[in-house]
Amino acid sequence: VQLVESGGGLVQAGGSLTLSCKVSGFAFDYDAIGWFRQAQKGREGVASISESPHSTLYADSVKGRFTTWTDVAKNTVYLQMNSRKPEDTATYYCARGRLDPPLSLEAGHYHPWGRGTQVTVSS
């Protein structure tokens, strides 16, 4: 089981950035995939998605700005970050969640995790 994040970098506030999470070793269309971020202030769950049944969940801090979706054929989950803010600066991780509905942003429901990709938003 492996999850690999990509797409991070140094970006300016505003605009869009899309992160990818390539998964292997499991049929993620039957599991949830969560997105988390780790900054100096701590770790925060930002989004989660499942396909069976289809459902998404977003943290209040990103609701309306971030969107997550899956491409089952590519075994990839995406996180689009719109209207980026300096406070979005963090290392972003994806992780496998084995939980029944409803979705959760509690980190304890998710394992394993990828190694993360750094996103730095400059003002």
Side-chain angles (χ1 to χ4, degrees):
V1 176
Q2 190 175 24
L3 302 96
V4 180
E5 304 90 341
S6 63
L10 174 63
V11 296
Q12 290 188 328
S16 298
L17 179 70
T18 300
L19 306 182
S20 301
C21 174
K22 178 78 171 179
V23 306
S24 60
F26 66 99
F28 78 93
D29 47 334
Y30 292 101
D31 290 324
I33 298 293
W35 287 96
F36 298 83
R37 61 187 180 186
Q38 179 79 46
Q40 287 188 336
K41 61 181 179 180
R43 183 172 58 188
E44 177 186 21
V46 297
S48 182
I49 184 169
S50 66
E51 290 297 340
S52 298
H54 179 71
S55 180
T56 56
L57 176 67
Y58 297 94
D60 289 343
S61 59
V62 306
K63 196 173 295 181
R65 299 190 300 121
F66 288 14
T67 302
T68 186
W69 72 96
T70 63
D71 187 331
V72 176
K74 294 183 178 180
N75 290 334
T76 301
V77 183
Y78 301 93
L79 180 70
Q80 183 174 15
M81 308 164 57
N82 295 329
S83 303
R84 297 185 305 269
K85 303 176 181 180
E87 50 263 43
D88 294 326
T89 294
T91 301
Y92 284 74
Y93 301 86
C94 61
R96 177 190 188 184
R98 311 207 75 180
L99 67 168
D100 295 323
L103 294 174
S104 170
L105 296 178
E106 293 292 328
H109 291 295
Y110 295 85
H111 175 81
W113 293 52
R115 292 189 174 184
T117 185
Q118 176 68 36
V119 174
T120 302
V121 183
S122 62
S123 57

